[in-house]
């Protein structure tokens, strides 16, 4: 599989998260998969790419031109695509991946995770999505989503499209088991309208 990993490029985080990213890259390669990433060479983004390549995996990085200096591009990637916009970056990452794995991260990671999750909810793809959260960075998010389900804002079927894991092994086991299995979800009329509504200035 081509696995897209969403993760942090921050250098202010605990080194343990960088180590986690490296473990993901190592295991991803050991299982014969390839990596799709945001094209950065620092922090978690760099660690997952370097460890994947060290294990023999092919890596694709996709980075906006404006972030080349900020994130330091992954020039060692087997393929590095430079885009003009963030939207173009995400579209290419989505198209080139067979599955999605989100590690602990910030606003960019959350944006990518929610966009691909909503696309699955709307039936635009049937690719598996998993969050790897070993120590509860996203615990409040998990609780929030459960609350939205309880209040009727999110269907249980939509919640079930995202799986949670605590180890790289568990995360990759799920992706391998779920890849290409089952039809995409069918959104309700209300969900489709909400997801496609134009932004309010």
């Amino acid at each position: 599989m081509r696995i897209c990993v969403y993760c942090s490029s921050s250098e202010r985080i605990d080194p343990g998260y960088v180590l986690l990213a490296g473990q993901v890259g190592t295991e991803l390669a050991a299982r014969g998969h390839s990596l799709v990433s945001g094209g950065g060479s620092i922090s978690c983004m760099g660690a997952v790419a370097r460890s994947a390549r060290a294990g023999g995996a092919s890596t694709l990085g996709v980075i906006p031109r404006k972030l080349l200096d900020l994130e330091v591009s992954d020039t060692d990637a087997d393929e590095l695509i430079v885009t003009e916009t963030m939207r173009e970056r995400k579209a290419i990452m989505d198209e080139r991946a067979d599955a999605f794995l989100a590690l602990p991260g910030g606003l960019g990671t959350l944006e990518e995770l929610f966009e691909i999750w909503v696309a699955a909810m709307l039936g635009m793809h049937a690719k598996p999505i998993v969050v790897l959260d070993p120590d509860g960075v996203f615990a409040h998010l998990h609780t929030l989503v459960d609350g939205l389900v309880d209040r009727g804002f999110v269907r249980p079927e939509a919640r079930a499209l995202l799986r949670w894991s605590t180890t790289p092994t568990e995360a990759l086991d799920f992706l391998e088991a779920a890849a290409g299995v089952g039809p995409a979800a069918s959104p309700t009329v209300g969900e489709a309208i909400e997801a496609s509504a134009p932004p309010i200035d």
Side-chain angles (χ1 to χ4, degrees):
M1 285 190 300
R2 297 168 298 179
I3 299 177
C4 179
V5 176
Y6 301 134
C7 59
S8 178
S9 61
S10 172
E11 296 186 294
R12 299 183 300 275
I13 60 176
D14 188 294
Y17 297 115
V18 180
L19 178 62
L20 176 69
Q23 293 169 343
V24 167
T26 297
E27 183 149 359
L28 178 153
R31 295 175 182 231
H33 305 306
S34 60
L35 173 72
V36 177
S37 79
S41 65
I42 58 175
S43 190
C44 297
M45 202 177 290
V48 68
R50 285 190 298 273
S51 61
R53 282 193 294 272
S58 173
T59 62
L60 164 67
V62 189
I63 188 169
R65 190 175 306 280
K66 192 169 184 178
L67 298 184
L68 283 176
D69 294 331
L70 294 178
E71 291 187 324
V72 186
S73 62
D74 182 16
T75 55
D76 291 326
D78 295 287
E79 183 180 1
L80 182 65
I81 299 174
V82 179
T83 66
E84 296 304 322
T85 68
M86 290 288 284
R87 289 179 182 273
E88 184 184 0
R89 176 201 211 182
K90 289 184 293 181
I92 293 172
M93 291 170 70
D94 296 353
E95 291 167 2
R96 297 287 292 270
D98 302 309
F100 302 91
L101 172 57
L103 307 185
L107 296 179
T109 300
L110 288 172
E111 181 202 18
E112 291 166 329
L113 172 62
F114 273 104
E115 185 164 324
I116 203 67
W117 189 5
V118 169
M121 180 189 76
L122 295 177
M124 295 176 175
H125 71 85
K127 302 173 184 179
I129 311 165
V130 64
V131 172
L132 172 54
D133 187 18
D135 61 356
V137 169
F138 290 146
H140 291 299
L141 172 61
H142 201 168
T143 301
L144 173 63
V145 172
D146 287 343
L148 292 173
V149 171
D150 292 343
R151 289 165 176 78
F153 289 104
V154 176
R155 289 179 298 141
E157 296 87 351
R159 174 177 57 186
L161 293 171
L162 180 68
R163 294 289 296 270
W164 298 81
S165 64
T166 57
T167 68
T169 297
E170 183 183 22
L172 289 168
D173 282 350
F174 169 72
L175 292 180
E176 289 177 342
V181 176
S186 298
T188 64
V189 173
E191 287 169 340
I193 292 172
E194 181 177 348
S196 62
I200 300 174
D201 295 328

